Amino acid sequence: MADAVAEATASGQPTGNQPGSEQVIAVDRLVRRFGEREALAGVSLTLPRAQTIAIFGPNGAGKTTLLRVLATLLLPHSGSVSVLGCALPQQAHSVRGRIGLVGHEPLLYRELTGRENLDFYASLYAVPQRARRIDELLQATAMTKRADEPVQSLSRGMVQRLAICRALLHSPELLLLDEPRAGLDPDAAELVEPFIGRHSGVTRVLVTHDIEGGLAESDRALGLRDGHVEFDAPVDQVSSAIVRRLYSHERGAVQ
């Protein structure tokens, strides 16, 4: 996986945004299949700059698939996708260096140390003064003392902190976050909050099963089930009860 990165309202309809707002993400009728199965079946959404959209849904709803399409790691089969003004997949090369991804996989080389991993990615992104930037992030996430140990020797929470450092190295304009606090204890979660939380100032797409927490830190909520949009609305129009109904008949995972 790391090699691939190195190379490279309850109506089910979006309610839209204020005229003239800059859309960081614009997705229209996106379809993505795995074999004959549609993981995403005509998904549409928009997200303006400096806002957060929380994506909810049971296993197999298509949440991670959507995030991977936005991250340029999966190709859409039909529909249109624009991220930061770049059409995907045609302009994927122009947008990769402006996105930060924290997913289920840390995208770190296990045999390398944390610092070596960060230096590798910083070189890919042409981060200026990269040693200084790496030191800043390691210190901010309390990883300085363990940074020179192989990733494979670290706990899950430490690996997650390094993955967050990796995603932040190049000061991305858009954060794609799939359960970013998974494996973090409360102290570690507090450390990374200024960088990946609501007040980070970065446009964010947040995939989460934490209904109350996700609604509290987002501007919009998108509900997916079986690859279809069940709702897309401002969070003040979406109750936790509406979100819970997504999970009432959870089905098998798409992938």
Side-chain angles (χ1 to χ4, degrees), residues 29 36 46 67 113 117 198:
R29 293 170 290 183
E36 296 182 356
T46 58
L67 219 63
T113 68
N117 268 283
R198 174 164 194 146

Side-chain angles (χ1 to χ4, degrees), residues 153-167:
S153 70
L154 301 176
S155 69
R156 181 187 178 195
M158 291 179 179
V159 172
Q160 187 71 356
R161 278 186 269 169
L162 286 173
I164 291 170
C165 289
R166 171 193 52 72

Side-chain angles (χ1 to χ4, degrees), residues 21-36:
S21 61
E22 181 184 357
Q23 302 302 329
V24 172
I25 294 175
V27 176
D28 185 38
R29 293 170 290 183
L30 168 63
V31 173
R32 169 68 202 196
R33 291 182 290 270
F34 294 97
E36 296 182 356

Side-chain angles (χ1 to χ4, degrees), residues 70-113:
L70 295 175
T72 77
L73 297 177
L74 284 177
L75 298 177
H77 284 115
S78 64
S80 64
V81 181
S82 174
V83 175
L84 291 164
C86 298
L88 301 185
Q90 299 91 335
Q91 296 176 294
H93 62 284
S94 298
V95 77
R96 287 186 181 126
R98 302 165 66 190
I99 295 172
L101 172 66
V102 180
H104 293 300
E105 296 294 330
L107 304 179
L108 299 170
Y109 295 95
R110 291 174 52 81
E111 69 278 8
L112 298 181
T113 68

Side-chain angles (χ1 to χ4, degrees), residues 108 113-148 161-162 164-171 195:
L108 299 170
T113 68
R115 191 184 302 276
E116 288 169 339
N117 268 283
L118 296 181
D119 186 67
F120 170 70
Y121 279 102
S123 66
L124 287 181
Y125 290 125
V127 174
Q129 297 182 306
R130 66 179 194 252
R132 178 179 177 180
R133 176 62 172 163
I134 290 167
D135 284 340
E136 288 174 348
L137 288 171
L138 290 172
Q139 183 175 0
T141 56
M143 282 298 297
T144 302
K145 292 182 179 179
R146 306 295 297 273
D148 297 305
R161 278 186 269 169
L162 286 173
I164 291 170
C165 289
R166 171 193 52 72
L168 296 170
L169 274 170
H170 52 301
S171 302
F195 304 101

